[in-house]
mmCIF file with all atom_site columns, all heavy atoms in Angstrom:
data_model
loop_
_atom_site.group_PDB
_atom_site.id
_atom_site.type_symbol
_atom_site.label_atom_id
_atom_site.label_alt_id
_atom_site.label_comp_id
_atom_site.label_asym_id
_atom_site.label_entity_id
_atom_site.label_seq_id
_atom_site.pdbx_PDB_ins_code
_atom_site.Cartn_x
_atom_site.Cartn_y
_atom_site.Cartn_z
_atom_site.occupancy
_atom_site.B_iso_or_equiv
_atom_site.pdbx_formal_charge
_atom_site.auth_seq_id
_atom_site.auth_comp_id
_atom_site.auth_asym_id
_atom_site.auth_atom_id
_atom_site.pdbx_PDB_model_num
ATOM 1   N N   . VAL A 1 158 ? 19.343 9.940  -10.149 1.00 98.00 ? 164 VAL A N   1
ATOM 2   C CA  . VAL A 1 158 ? 20.323 10.812 -10.804 1.00 98.00 ? 164 VAL A CA  1
ATOM 3   C C   . VAL A 1 158 ? 20.623 10.318 -12.223 1.00 98.00 ? 164 VAL A C   1
ATOM 4   O O   . VAL A 1 158 ? 20.664 11.105 -13.177 1.00 98.00 ? 164 VAL A O   1
ATOM 5   C CB  . VAL A 1 158 ? 21.626 10.887 -9.990  1.00 98.00 ? 164 VAL A CB  1
ATOM 6   C CG1 . VAL A 1 158 ? 22.665 11.755 -10.696 1.00 98.00 ? 164 VAL A CG1 1
ATOM 7   C CG2 . VAL A 1 158 ? 21.349 11.451 -8.592  1.00 98.00 ? 164 VAL A CG2 1
ATOM 8   N N   . GLU A 1 159 ? 20.799 9.012  -12.369 1.00 98.00 ? 165 GLU A N   1
ATOM 9   C CA  . GLU A 1 159 ? 21.092 8.454  -13.690 1.00 98.00 ? 165 GLU A CA  1
ATOM 10  C C   . GLU A 1 159 ? 19.916 8.656  -14.644 1.00 98.00 ? 165 GLU A C   1
ATOM 11  O O   . GLU A 1 159 ? 20.117 8.977  -15.826 1.00 98.00 ? 165 GLU A O   1
ATOM 12  C CB  . GLU A 1 159 ? 21.423 6.968  -13.559 1.00 98.00 ? 165 GLU A CB  1
ATOM 13  C CG  . GLU A 1 159 ? 22.773 6.702  -12.897 1.00 98.00 ? 165 GLU A CG  1
ATOM 14  C CD  . GLU A 1 159 ? 22.976 5.245  -12.540 1.00 98.00 ? 165 GLU A CD  1
ATOM 15  O OE1 . GLU A 1 159 ? 22.007 4.453  -12.678 1.00 98.00 ? 165 GLU A OE1 1
ATOM 16  O OE2 . GLU A 1 159 ? 24.095 4.893  -12.118 1.00 98.00 ? 165 GLU A OE2 1
ATOM 17  N N   . SER A 1 160 ? 18.697 8.477  -14.156 1.00 98.00 ? 166 SER A N   1
ATOM 18  C CA  . SER A 1 160 ? 17.515 8.672  -15.004 1.00 98.00 ? 166 SER A CA  1
ATOM 19  C C   . SER A 1 160 ? 17.428 10.115 -15.484 1.00 98.00 ? 166 SER A C   1
ATOM 20  O O   . SER A 1 160 ? 17.114 10.386 -16.655 1.00 98.00 ? 166 SER A O   1
ATOM 21  C CB  . SER A 1 160 ? 16.239 8.298  -14.234 1.00 98.00 ? 166 SER A CB  1
ATOM 22  O OG  . SER A 1 160 ? 16.245 6.926  -13.868 1.00 98.00 ? 166 SER A OG  1
ATOM 23  N N   . THR A 1 161 ? 17.705 11.047 -14.578 1.00 98.00 ? 167 THR A N   1
ATOM 24  C CA  . THR A 1 161 ? 17.698 12.471 -14.936 1.00 98.00 ? 167 THR A CA  1
ATOM 25  C C   . THR A 1 161 ? 18.727 12.759 -16.023 1.00 98.00 ? 167 THR A C   1
ATOM 26  O O   . THR A 1 161 ? 18.432 13.434 -17.024 1.00 98.00 ? 167 THR A O   1
ATOM 27  C CB  . THR A 1 161 ? 17.989 13.339 -13.709 1.00 98.00 ? 167 THR A CB  1
ATOM 28  O OG1 . THR A 1 161 ? 17.081 13.002 -12.652 1.00 98.00 ? 167 THR A OG1 1
ATOM 29  C CG2 . THR A 1 161 ? 17.843 14.810 -14.032 1.00 98.00 ? 167 THR A CG2 1
ATOM 30  N N   . ASN A 1 162 ? 19.935 12.246 -15.836 1.00 98.00 ? 168 ASN A N   1
ATOM 31  C CA  . ASN A 1 162 ? 20.999 12.475 -16.812 1.00 98.00 ? 168 ASN A CA  1
ATOM 32  C C   . ASN A 1 162 ? 20.660 11.869 -18.174 1.00 98.00 ? 168 ASN A C   1
ATOM 33  O O   . ASN A 1 162 ? 20.958 12.453 -19.216 1.00 98.00 ? 168 ASN A O   1
ATOM 34  C CB  . ASN A 1 162 ? 22.317 11.886 -16.295 1.00 98.00 ? 168 ASN A CB  1
ATOM 35  C CG  . ASN A 1 162 ? 22.836 12.612 -15.070 1.00 98.00 ? 168 ASN A CG  1
ATOM 36  O OD1 . ASN A 1 162 ? 22.450 13.754 -14.808 1.00 98.00 ? 168 ASN A OD1 1
ATOM 37  N ND2 . ASN A 1 162 ? 23.697 11.965 -14.305 1.00 98.00 ? 168 ASN A ND2 1
ATOM 38  N N   . GLU A 1 163 ? 20.035 10.687 -18.159 1.00 98.00 ? 169 GLU A N   1
ATOM 39  C CA  . GLU A 1 163 ? 19.673 10.027 -19.419 1.00 98.00 ? 169 GLU A CA  1
ATOM 40  C C   . GLU A 1 163 ? 18.634 10.826 -20.201 1.00 98.00 ? 169 GLU A C   1
ATOM 41  O O   . GLU A 1 163 ? 18.536 10.693 -21.424 1.00 98.00 ? 169 GLU A O   1
ATOM 42  C CB  . GLU A 1 163 ? 19.150 8.617  -19.130 1.00 98.00 ? 169 GLU A CB  1
ATOM 43  C CG  . GLU A 1 163 ? 20.246 7.643  -18.698 1.00 98.00 ? 169 GLU A CG  1
ATOM 44  C CD  . GLU A 1 163 ? 19.697 6.284  -18.294 1.00 98.00 ? 169 GLU A CD  1
ATOM 45  O OE1 . GLU A 1 163 ? 18.510 6.004  -18.583 1.00 98.00 ? 169 GLU A OE1 1
ATOM 46  O OE2 . GLU A 1 163 ? 20.449 5.503  -17.684 1.00 98.00 ? 169 GLU A OE2 1
ATOM 47  N N   . LEU A 1 164 ? 17.870 11.645 -19.494 1.00 98.00 ? 170 LEU A N   1
ATOM 48  C CA  . LEU A 1 164 ? 16.876 12.495 -20.148 1.00 98.00 ? 170 LEU A CA  1
ATOM 49  C C   . LEU A 1 164 ? 17.458 13.854 -20.533 1.00 98.00 ? 170 LEU A C   1
ATOM 50  O O   . LEU A 1 164 ? 16.729 14.785 -20.888 1.00 98.00 ? 170 LEU A O   1
ATOM 51  C CB  . LEU A 1 164 ? 15.669 12.695 -19.214 1.00 98.00 ? 170 LEU A CB  1
ATOM 52  C CG  . LEU A 1 164 ? 14.848 11.424 -18.942 1.00 98.00 ? 170 LEU A CG  1
ATOM 53  C CD1 . LEU A 1 164 ? 13.825 11.681 -17.840 1.00 98.00 ? 170 LEU A CD1 1
ATOM 54  C CD2 . LEU A 1 164 ? 14.160 10.944 -20.210 1.00 98.00 ? 170 LEU A CD2 1
ATOM 55  N N   . ASN A 1 165 ? 18.792 13.957 -20.450 1.00 98.00 ? 171 ASN A N   1
ATOM 56  C CA  . ASN A 1 165 ? 19.510 15.195 -20.780 1.00 98.00 ? 171 ASN A CA  1
ATOM 57  C C   . ASN A 1 165 ? 19.053 16.357 -19.903 1.00 98.00 ? 171 ASN A C   1
ATOM 58  O O   . ASN A 1 165 ? 18.890 17.490 -20.372 1.00 98.00 ? 171 ASN A O   1
ATOM 59  C CB  . ASN A 1 165 ? 19.334 15.546 -22.266 1.00 98.00 ? 171 ASN A CB  1
ATOM 60  C CG  . ASN A 1 165 ? 19.971 14.516 -23.180 1.00 98.00 ? 171 ASN A CG  1
ATOM 61  O OD1 . ASN A 1 165 ? 21.096 14.067 -22.946 1.00 98.00 ? 171 ASN A OD1 1
ATOM 62  N ND2 . ASN A 1 165 ? 19.261 14.126 -24.217 1.00 98.00 ? 171 ASN A ND2 1
ATOM 63  N N   . MET A 1 166 ? 18.846 16.050 -18.626 1.00 98.00 ? 172 MET A N   1
ATOM 64  C CA  . MET A 1 166 ? 18.462 17.063 -17.647 1.00 98.00 ? 172 MET A CA  1
ATOM 65  C C   . MET A 1 166 ? 19.481 17.058 -16.514 1.00 98.00 ? 172 MET A C   1
ATOM 66  O O   . MET A 1 166 ? 20.247 16.107 -16.349 1.00 98.00 ? 172 MET A O   1
ATOM 67  C CB  . MET A 1 166 ? 17.057 16.773 -17.112 1.00 98.00 ? 172 MET A CB  1
ATOM 68  C CG  . MET A 1 166 ? 15.979 16.779 -18.177 1.00 98.00 ? 172 MET A CG  1
ATOM 69  S SD  . MET A 1 166 ? 14.373 16.231 -17.557 1.00 98.00 ? 172 MET A SD  1
ATOM 70  C CE  . MET A 1 166 ? 13.922 17.616 -16.497 1.00 98.00 ? 172 MET A CE  1
ATOM 71  N N   . HIS A 1 167 ? 19.466 18.134 -15.735 1.00 98.00 ? 173 HIS A N   1
ATOM 72  C CA  . HIS A 1 167 ? 20.378 18.259 -14.599 1.00 98.00 ? 173 HIS A CA  1
ATOM 73  C C   . HIS A 1 167 ? 19.604 18.082 -13.296 1.00 98.00 ? 173 HIS A C   1
ATOM 74  O O   . HIS A 1 167 ? 18.570 18.727 -13.079 1.00 98.00 ? 173 HIS A O   1
ATOM 75  C CB  . HIS A 1 167 ? 21.057 19.631 -14.604 1.00 98.00 ? 173 HIS A CB  1
ATOM 76  C CG  . HIS A 1 167 ? 21.857 19.902 -15.845 1.00 98.00 ? 173 HIS A CG  1
ATOM 77  N ND1 . HIS A 1 167 ? 23.151 19.475 -16.018 1.00 98.00 ? 173 HIS A ND1 1
ATOM 78  C CD2 . HIS A 1 167 ? 21.521 20.558 -16.997 1.00 98.00 ? 173 HIS A CD2 1
ATOM 79  C CE1 . HIS A 1 167 ? 23.592 19.853 -17.199 1.00 98.00 ? 173 HIS A CE1 1
ATOM 80  N NE2 . HIS A 1 167 ? 22.620 20.512 -17.810 1.00 98.00 ? 173 HIS A NE2 1
ATOM 81  N N   . CYS A 1 168 ? 20.111 17.196 -12.440 1.00 98.00 ? 174 CYS A N   1
ATOM 82  C CA  . CYS A 1 168 ? 19.466 16.926 -11.154 1.00 98.00 ? 174 CYS A CA  1
ATOM 83  C C   . CYS A 1 168 ? 19.962 17.959 -10.138 1.00 98.00 ? 174 CYS A C   1
ATOM 84  O O   . CYS A 1 168 ? 21.167 18.072 -9.894  1.00 98.00 ? 174 CYS A O   1
ATOM 85  C CB  . CYS A 1 168 ? 19.801 15.512 -10.684 1.00 98.00 ? 174 CYS A CB  1
ATOM 86  S SG  . CYS A 1 168 ? 18.751 14.894 -9.360  1.00 98.00 ? 174 CYS A SG  1
ATOM 87  N N   . ILE A 1 169 ? 19.039 18.717 -9.566  1.00 98.00 ? 175 ILE A N   1
ATOM 88  C CA  . ILE A 1 169 ? 19.386 19.872 -8.741  1.00 98.00 ? 175 ILE A CA  1
ATOM 89  C C   . ILE A 1 169 ? 18.895 19.713 -7.297  1.00 98.00 ? 175 ILE A C   1
ATOM 90  O O   . ILE A 1 169 ? 17.729 19.401 -7.054  1.00 98.00 ? 175 ILE A O   1
ATOM 91  C CB  . ILE A 1 169 ? 18.769 21.173 -9.320  1.00 98.00 ? 175 ILE A CB  1
ATOM 92  C CG1 . ILE A 1 169 ? 19.160 21.358 -10.792 1.00 98.00 ? 175 ILE A CG1 1
ATOM 93  C CG2 . ILE A 1 169 ? 19.171 22.376 -8.479  1.00 98.00 ? 175 ILE A CG2 1
ATOM 94  C CD1 . ILE A 1 169 ? 20.632 21.593 -11.029 1.00 98.00 ? 175 ILE A CD1 1
ATOM 95  N N   . GLN A 1 170 ? 19.774 19.960 -6.345  1.00 98.00 ? 176 GLN A N   1
ATOM 96  C CA  . GLN A 1 170 ? 19.404 20.033 -4.937  1.00 98.00 ? 176 GLN A CA  1
ATOM 97  C C   . GLN A 1 170 ? 19.566 21.482 -4.475  1.00 98.00 ? 176 GLN A C   1
ATOM 98  O O   . GLN A 1 170 ? 19.242 22.400 -5.170  1.00 98.00 ? 176 GLN A O   1
ATOM 99  C CB  . GLN A 1 170 ? 20.276 19.077 -4.108  1.00 98.00 ? 176 GLN A CB  1
ATOM 100 C CG  . GLN A 1 170 ? 19.975 17.606 -4.360  1.00 98.00 ? 176 GLN A CG  1
ATOM 101 C CD  . GLN A 1 170 ? 18.727 17.148 -3.644  1.00 98.00 ? 176 GLN A CD  1
ATOM 102 O OE1 . GLN A 1 170 ? 17.619 17.349 -4.140  1.00 98.00 ? 176 GLN A OE1 1
ATOM 103 N NE2 . GLN A 1 170 ? 18.889 16.503 -2.519  1.00 98.00 ? 176 GLN A NE2 1
ATOM 104 N N   . TRP A 1 171 ? 20.107 21.675 -3.287  1.00 98.00 ? 177 TRP A N   1
ATOM 105 C CA  . TRP A 1 171 ? 20.353 23.008 -2.743  1.00 98.00 ? 177 TRP A CA  1
ATOM 106 C C   . TRP A 1 171 ? 21.366 22.892 -1.624  1.00 98.00 ? 177 TRP A C   1
ATOM 107 O O   . TRP A 1 171 ? 21.553 21.827 -1.034  1.00 98.00 ? 177 TRP A O   1
ATOM 108 C CB  . TRP A 1 171 ? 19.057 23.620 -2.206  1.00 98.00 ? 177 TRP A CB  1
ATOM 109 C CG  . TRP A 1 171 ? 18.474 22.799 -1.085  1.00 98.00 ? 177 TRP A CG  1
ATOM 110 C CD1 . TRP A 1 171 ? 18.755 22.878 0.251   1.00 98.00 ? 177 TRP A CD1 1
ATOM 111 C CD2 . TRP A 1 171 ? 17.536 21.701 -1.211  1.00 98.00 ? 177 TRP A CD2 1
ATOM 112 N NE1 . TRP A 1 171 ? 18.060 21.936 0.971   1.00 98.00 ? 177 TRP A NE1 1
ATOM 113 C CE2 . TRP A 1 171 ? 17.300 21.202 0.094   1.00 98.00 ? 177 TRP A CE2 1
ATOM 114 C CE3 . TRP A 1 171 ? 16.871 21.110 -2.284  1.00 98.00 ? 177 TRP A CE3 1
ATOM 115 C CZ2 . TRP A 1 171 ? 16.437 20.127 0.331   1.00 98.00 ? 177 TRP A CZ2 1
ATOM 116 C CZ3 . TRP A 1 171 ? 16.019 20.059 -2.042  1.00 98.00 ? 177 TRP A CZ3 1
ATOM 117 C CH2 . TRP A 1 171 ? 15.806 19.579 -0.747  1.00 98.00 ? 177 TRP A CH2 1
ATOM 118 N N   . ASP A 1 172 ? 22.055 23.972 -1.322  1.00 98.00 ? 178 ASP A N   1
ATOM 119 C CA  . ASP A 1 172 ? 22.972 23.980 -0.179  1.00 98.00 ? 178 ASP A CA  1
ATOM 120 C C   . ASP A 1 172 ? 22.549 24.995 0.878   1.00 98.00 ? 178 ASP A C   1
ATOM 121 O O   . ASP A 1 172 ? 23.152 25.059 1.950   1.00 98.00 ? 178 ASP A O   1
ATOM 122 C CB  . ASP A 1 172 ? 24.412 24.243 -0.630  1.00 98.00 ? 178 ASP A CB  1
ATOM 123 C CG  . ASP A 1 172 ? 24.613 25.631 -1.224  1.00 98.00 ? 178 ASP A CG  1
ATOM 124 O OD1 . ASP A 1 172 ? 23.677 26.156 -1.862  1.00 98.00 ? 178 ASP A OD1 1
ATOM 125 O OD2 . ASP A 1 172 ? 25.714 26.194 -1.052  1.00 98.00 ? 178 ASP A OD2 1
#
Side-chain angles (χ1 to χ4, degrees):
V164 178
E165 289 169 353
S166 298
T167 306
N168 293 340
E169 288 175 13
L170 293 171
N171 295 316
M172 299 173 70
H173 301 276
C174 195
I175 306 294
Q176 290 282 83
W177 61 87
D178 65 327

